[in-house]
Amino acid sequence: AQSVTQLDSQVPVFEEAPVELRCNYSSSVSVYLFWYVQYPNQGLQLLLKYLSGSTLVKGINGFEAEFNKSQTSFHLRKPSVHISDTAEYFCAVRTGSSNTGKLIFGQGTTLQVKP
Amino acid sequence: GAVVSQHPSRVICKSGTSVKIECRSLDFQATTMFWYRQFPKKSLMLMATSNEGSKATYEQGVEKDKFLINHASLTLSTLTVTSAHPEDSSFYICSGVGKYNEQFFGPGTRLTVL
């Protein structure tokens, strides 16, 4: 069965500092990987996704993530964060053999950007 | 990106009543829609997969008689929480699957059962 682990429940960081949000997955088949952001009382917005090809994926709002198959990781990074990046971030996996789009989410990481 | 709406955004109801939540894909057709439940400070838990014109597929542990799902058209799926109780209070989010299997999420519905 597939699973996703986000290693940090909360990540406090100062504005303009770099940040990395960690995500590890487990799956016995090929996977598609996603990062979503959720602002308070809102739904999820797709930040970026890895389907195939280059392991370094660039997304919106200056975020990027690197797929590492040997370490089964898909960590999210941003070189310089803004106050407006404060939100909940979710890593998710979808099995490559499925066309149903069913996503398995991690527990979420709260990014707190301080001035 | 494609837009998914949910109605209502917030609902407060008395224990024992039923509540219907609508999920609409506004600018695309979604043959598949998903319903998720999110507890405070917790991840999203997939409740069921809704396919247009057929019965929904429920995840293990989700009561299908309590959470009724209807996907009557390619742009509308509804979730009805029957005989709601305080423990059903939660944030319910739907998503519609687009042409390339990408999920587009609705803004969520906050249900509070008194």
Side-chain angles (χ1 to χ4, degrees):
Chain A
Q2 301 80 36
S3 67
V4 178
T5 302
Q6 291 181 241
L7 299 165
D8 308 295
S9 59
Q10 291 189 352
V11 174
V13 64
F14 287 105
E15 193 174 17
E16 297 184 5
V19 71
E20 178 180 83
L21 306 184
R22 296 181 292 169
C23 173
N24 287 88
Y25 69 92
S26 67
S27 175
S28 58
V29 298
S30 58
V31 295
Y32 299 154
L33 294 158
F34 304 80
W35 274 100
Y36 288 89
V37 61
Q38 184 182 33
Y39 298 102
N41 294 313
Q42 294 186 27
L44 275 70
Q45 180 182 2
L46 180 66
L47 274 178
L48 47 79
K49 60 186 175 185
Y50 171 78
L51 303 182
S52 65
S54 174
T55 57
L56 182 62
V57 180
K58 293 189 183 297
I60 63 171
N61 299 344
F63 284 94
E64 63 180 33
E66 185 157 18
F67 170 58
N68 188 319
K69 188 174 182 179
S70 63
Q71 296 187 2
T72 61
S73 68
F74 190 55
H75 301 332
L76 181 71
R77 301 186 185 98
K78 186 170 182 177
S80 175
V81 295
H82 301 289
I83 295 287
S84 59
D85 292 323
T86 295
E88 192 78 18
Y89 291 80
F90 292 97
C91 181
V93 63
R94 191 183 90 205
T95 56
S97 61
S98 170
N99 288 323
T100 65
K102 182 175 171 178
L103 291 170
I104 306 298
F105 285 89
Q107 301 90 329
T109 297
T110 303
L111 176 62
Q112 301 165 321
V113 182
K114 303 175 181 180
Chain B
V3 179
V4 174
S5 71
Q6 283 185 240
H7 178 78
S9 57
R10 289 178 177 269
V11 57
I12 300 173
C13 69
K14 293 182 179 180
S15 186
T17 60
S18 294
V19 174
K20 181 185 283 188
I21 302 169
E22 292 185 349
C23 175
R24 293 182 184 272
S25 56
L26 297 184
D27 51 0
F28 69 103
Q29 293 183 332
T31 55
T32 300
M33 287 185 171
F34 294 95
W35 285 95
Y36 296 86
R37 182 174 178 175
Q38 186 180 34
F39 295 96
K41 303 294 184 183
K42 295 290 185 183
S43 181
L44 279 74
M45 181 193 80
L46 179 63
M47 298 174 66
T49 303
S50 167
N51 292 299
E52 187 266 338
S54 64
K55 290 184 179 179
T57 303
Y58 290 82
E59 295 299 301
Q60 192 173 7
V62 178
E63 297 177 62
K64 62 180 180 181
D65 294 331
K66 179 165 188 62
F67 298 99
L68 300 179
I69 292 173
N70 187 344
H71 194 157
S73 77
L74 289 172
T75 58
L76 174 63
S77 176
T78 60
L79 168 67
T80 301
V81 183
T82 63
S83 187
H85 289 101
E87 58 265 31
D88 299 324
S89 297
S90 194
F91 195 52
Y92 292 89
I93 301 175
C94 72
S95 70
V97 180
K99 194 164 53 172
Y100 301 106
N101 281 339
E102 183 172 329
Q103 284 194 41
F104 299 99
F105 287 83
T109 296
R110 173 124 357 245
L111 170 63
T112 303
V113 185
L114 303 177

